[in-house]
Amino acid sequence: ILTCDWSSDVCSSDLTAFSTAPAVRPVSNDTTAINRKLRRSVPPFTYNEGCSERGFVRRRSFSIKWHVAILGVLIFAPLLAVQGILSYRIASSEREALENSVTALAREISDVIDRDLRAAQSTLLALGTSPHLETGNIEAFHAQARRVADIFPGSVIGLRAPGNRILTVTVQPFQSNLPQVTDPILQRADAQTVAENRLVITDLYTGAVTGRRFVNLQVPVVTTNQTYILSFALNPSYVREAILRERFDPALVVGVTDKNNTLIARSRDQDRFVGRPVSAEFVANTRADSGRFFGTTLDGVEVLNGYVRSPLSGWIVAAGIPTSVLQAPLRRTYWQLADRKSTRLNSSHMSES
């Protein structure tokens, strides 16, 4: 750093001031000549220790490592930010697809169950035209009904008369001395079938003859002399088989509940949970015909439930995806970003080395 005072014609590069030659004022406007003259008159400057104490400041310089590191940050930081935004959007899209998939799965399974119920309804209507019912030959009708029941494994076809009288069931040899209907669910369904003269699909009940749980489809059969209630009882395992016909991730759990909020079938732990009432939380969140909500399963797993109510049976089919599976895309994105950031930092460090 060179300081010159033209008023006194003195320049200093150290504490020692020196006088220039007798000042000769330039008479020319040629700045090039003036600068050349100054360069000849000023001795070269040499930096000595302690210059900072005498008013000279040494400029701090960064190492090559620092320059490489700063360059790496300037290059990779925007790339990481863009990549993070894109990855987050992709993960959010995956999560939204998973959320939509549970409702779609519930709807598909509900449609499968409804098709099976309609097939059973058609069987009942065809069986109800049997001439043995018109003539009152219950024993002959019993033999015919047993052949039909064999087509649907685990099913039971029954014939009852108003007043809770059981006339015949296909799981027993024909006999006239059968117990009466005692389950209140079935009693109400019988009364509704006769009063409304239409198909009724019951809630889960316990059979008086077998002592096992069933759901019933039943139709009225009106003959010249008698009105019968013809029923097609399905075992809960039959409903579960309808659930498992649809392929889905084993991490998901699917359940079917009746209008009485009792579990009819479940994709996992069927024997453990069938017949149990669902939680109050589930009931409160399934009042509409379809929807989604976060809840907890009967075995304590936090899930996002998608549900659909069948217009035919009134049953609710719900599919639940664990929240751990639902959050997996975001977690995977975070780990990938962290891994890539670590890799680039290591590469930058190796470059510096």
Side-chain angles (χ1 to χ4, degrees), residues 304-317:
L304 172 67
N305 283 309
Y307 73 92
V308 172
R309 188 186 303 275
S310 166
L312 176 63
S313 63
W315 298 346
I316 291 176
V317 179

Side-chain angles (χ1 to χ4, degrees), residues 334-351:
Y334 295 151
W335 280 113
Q336 287 174 350
L337 288 175
D339 181 63
R340 290 170 185 171
K341 183 176 180 181
S342 174
T343 301
R344 286 170 179 171
L345 287 176
N346 289 336
S347 300
S348 177
H349 180 70
M350 290 176 65
S351 300

Side-chain angles (χ1 to χ4, degrees), residues 42-349:
V42 176
F45 169 72
T46 304
Y47 175 82
N48 296 318
E49 254 184 73
C51 283
S52 59
E53 298 175 359
R54 303 174 199 159
F56 296 99
V57 180
R58 183 182 182 182
R59 180 179 296 174
R60 182 183 298 275
S61 63
F62 293 101
S63 66
I64 294 297
K65 292 182 180 180
W66 275 102
H67 283 88
V68 172
I70 293 171
L71 182 62
V73 170
L74 293 176
I75 293 175
F76 291 125
L79 294 178
L80 284 174
V82 172
Q83 189 176 42
I85 293 172
L86 293 177
S87 298
Y88 178 80
R89 289 184 177 178
I90 292 172
S92 298
S93 298
E94 289 184 30
R95 175 179 174 129
E96 185 178 358
L98 288 173
E99 291 177 353
N100 293 331
S101 69
V102 290
T103 307
L105 177 62
R107 193 176 301 281
E108 290 171 3
I109 293 175
S110 180
D111 290 342
V112 169
I113 294 173
D114 283 356
R115 284 197 294 269
D116 287 355
L117 294 178
R118 292 191 186 280
Q121 178 186 6
S122 300
T123 301
L124 279 180
L125 294 175
L127 191 59
T129 62
S130 172
H132 301 304
L133 293 178
E134 183 65 36
T135 61
N137 188 347
I138 305 302
E139 184 174 2
F141 176 80
H142 173 81
Q144 184 182 11
R146 289 193 72 171
R147 290 193 296 272
V148 174
D150 291 340
I151 302 174
F152 301 89
S155 64
V156 178
I157 295 176
L159 187 68
R160 297 186 298 280
N164 304 322
R165 289 190 303 121
I166 300 176
L167 302 177
T168 185
V169 288
T170 55
V171 292
Q172 295 284 346
F174 178 74
Q175 53 183 308
S176 57
N177 187 19
L178 290 172
Q180 287 194 328
V181 174
T182 57
D183 192 292
I185 294 175
L186 199 53
Q187 289 176 346
R188 288 194 298 270
D190 284 358
Q192 182 182 4
T193 303
V194 174
E196 300 180 7
N197 193 31
R198 66 172 181 86
L199 169 74
V200 172
I201 300 176
T202 73
D203 295 327
L204 192 68
Y205 74 95
T206 302
V209 176
T210 63
R212 300 201 305 264
R213 293 190 179 98
F214 293 97
V215 288
N216 258 9
L217 289 85
Q218 48 193 57
V219 295
V221 178
V222 181
T223 65
T224 304
N225 301 316
Q226 178 73 49
T227 297
Y228 299 102
I229 300 166
L230 182 59
S231 65
F232 195 112
L234 294 174
N235 193 291
S237 61
Y238 186 84
V239 181
R240 181 174 183 267
E241 289 174 5
I243 294 175
L244 297 180
R245 261 180 259 158
E246 289 294 313
R247 296 178 179 271
F248 54 88
D249 192 326
L252 276 67
V253 59
V254 178
V256 181
T257 60
D258 62 19
K259 298 183 294 294
N260 202 32
N261 298 314
T262 301
L263 196 65
I264 298 173
R266 199 171 189 264
S267 58
R268 292 203 307 261
D269 300 324
Q270 166 92 349
D271 296 335
R272 178 183 172 190
F273 292 109
V274 166
R276 290 180 55 175
V278 295
S279 64
E281 174 192 49
F282 186 91
V283 175
N285 285 286
T286 54
R287 301 190 186 280
D289 291 334
S290 64
R292 291 197 301 261
F293 66 95
F294 285 95
T296 305
T297 63
L298 291 175
D299 47 355
V301 179
E302 293 184 359
V303 295
L304 172 67
N305 283 309
Y307 73 92
V308 172
R309 188 186 303 275
S310 166
L312 176 63
S313 63
W315 298 346
I316 291 176
V317 179
I321 180 171
T323 53
S324 59
V325 176
L326 196 63
Q327 294 167 357
L330 286 176
R331 284 202 305 270
R332 186 171 60 249
T333 297
Y334 295 151
W335 280 113
Q336 287 174 350
L337 288 175
D339 181 63
R340 290 170 185 171
K341 183 176 180 181
S342 174
T343 301
R344 286 170 179 171
L345 287 176
N346 289 336
S347 300
S348 177
H349 180 70

